[in-house]
Amino acid sequence: MNTPPPSKSTTPTTSSPPAAGLRSVPPAVGAPMGVAEGVPTAVLPDPQVGDGRHVTGWLTIRVPRKGTPTASSWCACGRDLFVSGFVKVLALSEDHTAHRDACPLRTSDTASEGRAAA
């Protein structure tokens, strides 16, 4: 009978598994995977600074199709009115405009008193 040809490499057989080689980990540079470029990964404070103005009055008029118009007038001084109907909406609109000049929050006398008291 023929004997098989010798194998190309002869490796000694051992009973223990081979030792794992050390693998170098690439340095973490940049944003984590899955984050779009230019998107902050942390919540940052809002850098916008207001100019000191704020809403003191608001007039809302709603006119639904084939419906009755409604209006509401709100002011930071405590005024909060609501009307329904075409004539009443027009009257509230004029009253809201007149209130802008008479509002205690917008008059210069009250504003200067508030500054002096503070």
Side-chain angles (χ1 to χ4, degrees), residues 45-63:
D46 191 7
Q48 299 175 357
V49 178
D51 59 357
R53 297 183 296 173
H54 57 278
V55 176
T56 56
W58 199 271
L59 175 67
T60 305
I61 299 175
R62 293 178 186 89
V63 184

Side-chain angles (χ1 to χ4, degrees), residues 11-70:
T11 8
T13 44
T14 58
S15 60
S16 63
L22 293 177
R23 184 175 64 122
S24 65
V25 178
V29 178
M33 295 296 292
V35 176
E37 189 174 326
V39 176
T41 56
V43 178
L44 303 174
D46 191 7
Q48 299 175 357
V49 178
D51 59 357
R53 297 183 296 173
H54 57 278
V55 176
T56 56
W58 199 271
L59 175 67
T60 305
I61 299 175
R62 293 178 186 89
V63 184
R65 189 179 303 189
K66 296 183 182 179
T68 305
T70 60

Side-chain angles (χ1 to χ4, degrees), residues 65-82:
R65 189 179 303 189
K66 296 183 182 179
T68 305
T70 60
S72 62
S73 174
W74 174 86
C75 184
C77 70
R79 173 187 168 105
D80 192 7
L81 302 174
F82 178 82

Side-chain angles (χ1 to χ4, degrees), residues 87-98:
V87 175
K88 291 181 182 179
V89 167
L90 288 177
L92 183 63
S93 176
E94 292 173 2
D95 185 51
H96 180 82
T97 304

